[in-house]
Amino acid sequence: MRLTTFTDYCLRVLMFVGAKNGEMATIDEIARGYGISRNHLMKVVFRLGQLGYLTNVRGKGGGMSLARAPESINIGTLVRQTEEDLAVVECFQKSDAGCRIESTCILRHALNKALNAFLGVLDAYTLADLISPRRKLAQLLDIPLPAKPAKKAS
């Protein structure tokens, strides 16, 4: 099973925005943080907004933030929504694939079980799980961490 670059970028965008811990993120920040194309990210951010994962604010001071709590963003669901074709082999695409052994094929059944197991594992994760090492993610992606409040003198 291989995910498309689009789905990979969707996951990365959500992780970046989630690591910002409620602060707005910009496409430029995400592109710099991951070293990936700004143009691709524009499409990804637009789609994530359509799907209800991001709130996008245009204009000066704009950017994006999570539209939902990280705990409510299921990774398996996101993958199903962003992958155009989860067919592992041609016969998954349509029942009339023209395969001579289709009526007795065990391989098709095995691959279907494997795909369901793959998605089942992803169903067990949320965005909150992926961003749990938030401080380390922020450091690796050059996300400024909020300053720690100074201790009050007694």
Side-chain angles (χ1 to χ4, degrees):
M1 180 74 220
R2 182 181 172 118
L3 299 178
T4 61
T5 301
F6 186 83
T7 297
D8 176 28
Y9 285 7
C10 284
L11 292 164
R12 291 186 199 209
V13 165
L14 290 176
M15 289 174 66
F16 190 100
V17 176
K20 294 230 24 176
N21 205 22
E23 292 183 32
M24 295 288 265
T26 66
I27 289 174
D28 287 335
E29 285 180 308
I30 298 168
R32 273 194 311 276
Y34 286 115
I36 57 180
S37 165
R38 183 184 192 286
N39 291 334
H40 288 304
L41 288 176
M42 289 173 60
K43 296 176 210 169
V44 166
V45 166
F46 178 74
R47 183 68 178 133
L48 288 171
Q50 286 181 318
L51 292 170
Y53 291 105
L54 293 178
T55 299
N56 300 320
V57 178
R58 299 181 136 227
K60 186 175 170 114
M64 70 203 80
S65 60
L66 293 178
R68 302 188 234 168
E71 297 79 18
S72 71
I73 298 176
N74 181 273
I75 302 307
T77 300
L78 174 77
V79 167
R80 287 178 186 88
Q81 291 175 321
T82 58
E83 282 295 312
E84 288 183 19
D85 184 10
L86 286 170
V88 178
V89 290
E90 184 181 349
C91 61
F92 277 20
Q93 294 172 349
K94 53 188 179 228
S95 60
D96 185 17
C99 179
R100 290 183 176 187
I101 65 168
E102 183 176 355
S103 64
T104 189
C105 186
I106 302 300
L107 178 60
R108 181 178 179 179
H109 175 71
L111 292 173
N112 191 42
K113 281 181 70 173
L115 174 61
N116 289 332
F118 174 79
L119 292 170
V121 169
L122 295 178
D123 285 337
Y125 287 88
T126 67
L127 180 60
D129 297 318
L130 302 185
I131 62 171
S132 62
R134 187 172 280 149
R135 292 190 83 61
K136 185 66 175 171
L137 280 173
Q139 179 184 20
L140 293 169
L141 295 171
D142 292 324
I143 298 171
L145 295 171
K148 291 184 181 178
K151 290 185 180 181
K152 294 183 180 181
S154 327

